[in-house]
């Protein structure tokens, strides 16, 4: 088992670079990074491996900002992915057009700090 040390989510408003993908780590101080995908590598039967370039660390509500471990992150790598694929096209019919489908995935995120 692993402990959850943070969350990955989408911001309602993109940062100045146009990115809305964010990661927040919790602990003694909160730390947030926003990044844009710059490289994608397909993976078999799972979502792609990704490399993100961090575009900002600020511009968040005060509850999310802080000098934590992501304060100097420059890149984020999504590795070891499992799941996350959309349902088969055969399931995407007009009758199911209003359906909400949860698609779980797992990944290891590596944060690079120069």
């Amino acid at each position: 088992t692993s402990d959850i040390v943070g969350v990955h989510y989408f911001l309602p408003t993109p940062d100045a670079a146009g990115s809305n993908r964010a990661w927040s780590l919790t602990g003694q101080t909160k730390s947030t990074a926003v990044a844009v995908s710059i490289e994608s590598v397909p993976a078999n039967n799972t979502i792609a491996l990704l490399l993100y370039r961090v575009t900002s660390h600020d511009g968040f509500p005060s509850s999310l900002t802080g000098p934590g471990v992501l304060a100097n992150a420059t890149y984020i790598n999504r590795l070891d992915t499992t799941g996350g694929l959309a349902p088969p096209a055969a399931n995407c019919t007009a009758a199911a057009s209003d359906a909400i489908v949860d698609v779980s995935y797992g990944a290891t995120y590596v944060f690079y700090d120069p």
Side-chain angles (χ1 to χ4, degrees):
T1 65
S2 63
D3 294 326
I4 295 174
V5 295
V7 293
H8 168 43
Y9 54 96
F10 291 91
L11 297 171
T13 304
D15 69 358
S19 180
N20 65 346
R21 291 165 175 84
W23 290 260
S24 290
L25 301 184
T26 57
Q28 293 180 359
T29 61
K30 292 188 177 185
S31 186
T32 303
V34 177
V36 61
S37 176
I38 59 171
E39 188 68 40
S40 177
V41 176
N44 289 331
N45 299 316
T46 184
I47 56 174
L49 308 176
L50 293 176
L51 177 62
Y52 296 92
R53 181 179 46 82
V54 174
T55 57
S56 65
H57 296 93
D58 55 13
F60 302 99
S62 60
S63 63
L64 296 178
T65 60
V69 297
L70 295 181
N72 295 315
T74 55
Y75 290 92
I76 302 168
N77 221 173
R78 181 172 78 187
L79 306 168
D80 303 325
T81 56
T82 58
L85 294 178
N91 293 3
C92 299
T93 64
S97 65
D98 290 333
I100 296 174
V101 178
D102 288 327
V103 179
S104 297
Y105 82 97
T108 299
Y109 286 94
V110 178
F111 300 87
Y112 295 92
D113 180 348

